[in-house]
Amino acid sequence: MAIHKLKIFAGRGSRYLAEKIAKSYGTEVGDSSVLEFSDGEFQPAYNESIRGCTVFVVQSTYPPTDNIMELLLMIDAARRASAYKVIAVIPYFGWARQDRKDRPRVSIGAKLCANLLKAAGVDRVMTMDLHADQIQGFFDIPVDHLYASGIFIPYINNLQLEDLSFAAPDMGGAKRVNAYAQYMNAPMIVSHKQREKANVVGTMTAIGEVEGRNIIILDDMIDTAGTITKAADMLMEKGAKSVRAAATHAVLSGPAYDRINASSLQEVIVTDTIPLNCNADTSKFTVLSVADVFADVMERVHNYKEISSRFIF
């Protein structure tokens, strides 16, 4: 058993989730604050002793960019306050789409973020459903890459859908969809898309049997919802009984909410790694919490237990 006390703290962007995680763990979120300056600069501080403690800092790095900077400053502050270990709990790891040079003279943002976290002094990173699995290799420290499949599978089973099929919104999501399809013993469909430019989908077609199927489109995130709504409309036009979507991270930028509400999607299943916009129409959304998953894995990490049994696939 660990001899170092565990404490959970939260960045301002993920306080809502940190409170759920702490409650599931059986503790409370630690006391911290952020001093803001008039020029936009800010300085996080811990308002209680963390000397010799294993400190978990919960913060997703969704926009704005202040969230990643606040996380880095909290890690630095914990290091300087003599924490035994500092573990960054990043339910949504932003910048993950920048995982390679796909055209000349561009940044690799995911690698830069990994370097920044290491430079700040983090000992370990815990995250969920990275946009690309290989991002784990950008870190020179342990990474616990969790999956939302343990949350989505029970919910999908409870829907009791007949003629169930799983669909990938693009070729890049085929591996994820294949894992669900094999586990659920269901057929898979792959949507082939051609982009006109970033965040703009051109033409799209489906590979696989669509007619008469209840289809769930799977993805790691929904950003502008252009791809997923176009895929849903295309699948319904080809004779699907119903189309739902399940995605871990509800980024939902720009016209995403309007697109989803105007689309053929019957339901959109997401997690709470990113909060929904309280001012938007969220009637089509079902939010499943990742708090129990993170709390359980945090306990296992803190007490040096294995975590592989926590994953369905």
Side-chain angles (χ1 to χ4, degrees):
M1 297 293 289
I3 61 172
H4 300 276
K5 187 176 181 180
L6 177 146
K7 290 194 176 184
I8 300 172
F9 291 90
R12 290 174 294 178
S14 295
R15 178 90 191 182
Y16 71 99
L17 180 54
E19 289 176 349
K20 293 180 186 177
I21 293 172
K23 183 178 180 181
S24 178
Y25 194 92
T27 185
E28 294 182 352
V29 175
D31 185 11
S32 62
S33 59
V34 178
L35 175 63
E36 296 192 43
F37 300 92
S38 60
D39 64 351
E41 192 175 314
F42 54 88
Q43 184 181 48
Y46 295 94
N47 300 328
E48 60 185 81
S49 175
I50 56 174
R51 184 179 299 275
C53 296
T54 298
V55 173
F56 288 84
V57 183
V58 182
Q59 177 83 310
S60 285
T61 60
Y62 60 91
T65 53
D66 284 359
N67 286 325
I68 181 66
M69 192 64 191
E70 184 177 326
L71 174 60
L72 294 170
L73 290 171
M74 291 187 75
I75 293 167
D76 182 72
R79 268 279 161 245
R80 297 178 188 278
S82 301
Y84 170 63
K85 282 187 178 179
V86 184
I87 300 173
V89 180
I90 313 174
Y92 169 67
F93 184 81
W95 316 94
R97 284 172 284 186
Q98 298 182 38
D99 63 324
R100 65 195 184 282
K101 283 188 70 175
D102 54 357
R103 62 184 192 276
R105 298 175 296 280
V106 296
S107 63
I108 303 180
K111 174 60 176 172
L112 176 59
C113 283
N115 288 344
L116 289 170
L117 288 162
K118 180 73 185 301
V122 77
D123 293 289
R124 190 182 195 100
V125 168
M126 193 176 293
T127 188
M128 177 170 276
D129 279 340
L130 288 167
H131 186 66
D133 288 345
Q134 66 265 22
I135 291 172
Q136 297 172 76
F138 291 172
F139 291 88
D140 295 324
I141 54 175
V143 176
D144 298 310
H145 185 202
L146 313 184
Y147 298 92
S149 55
I151 303 169
F152 287 144
I153 290 294
Y155 182 83
I156 292 169
N157 280 330
N158 287 335
L159 291 175
Q160 297 183 339
L161 295 174
E162 296 181 353
D163 304 315
L164 176 64
S165 290
F166 292 98
D170 51 36
M171 300 299 288
K175 180 182 176 182
R176 178 184 299 104
V177 171
N178 184 55
Y180 275 81
Q182 287 191 347
Y183 184 85
M184 298 287 289
N185 193 27
M188 67 176 287
I189 300 162
V190 178
S191 301
H192 176 64
K193 68 179 179 182
Q194 291 181 320
R195 284 196 182 276
E196 293 178 356
K197 56 184 179 179
N199 292 130
V200 178
V201 180
T203 60
M204 179 176 284
T205 187
I207 303 169
E209 184 182 349
V210 175
E211 189 170 355
R213 310 297 298 183
N214 287 304
I215 300 171
I216 298 179
I217 304 172
L218 300 168
D219 212 346
D220 63 307
M221 70 172 72
I222 303 175
D223 187 357
T224 61
T227 298
I228 213 157
T229 54
K230 189 159 189 171
D233 293 343
M234 179 266 295
L235 292 169
M236 288 299 292
E237 288 172 4
K238 289 183 176 294
K241 283 184 185 176
S242 68
V243 181
R244 291 171 170 82
T248 307
H249 310 298
V251 179
L252 299 174
S253 63
Y257 286 97
D258 291 337
R259 283 176 173 172
I260 287 170
N261 289 324
S263 74
S264 302
L265 285 167
Q266 182 172 323
E267 181 182 18
V268 179
I269 310 156
V270 296
T271 76
D272 54 358
T273 58
I274 300 173
L276 295 182
N277 184 346
C278 59
N279 296 317
D281 179 3
T282 59
S283 56
K284 284 191 176 184
F285 288 84
T286 299
V287 180
L288 308 178
S289 183
V290 299
D292 291 344
V293 175
F294 276 99
D296 180 58
V297 175
M298 286 162 62
E299 187 275 331
R300 290 169 184 253
V301 167
H302 183 235
N303 292 304
Y304 308 106
K305 301 176 183 177
E306 58 81 29
I307 64 172
S308 58
S309 61
R310 193 61 181 81
F311 307 132
I312 292 181
F313 52 80

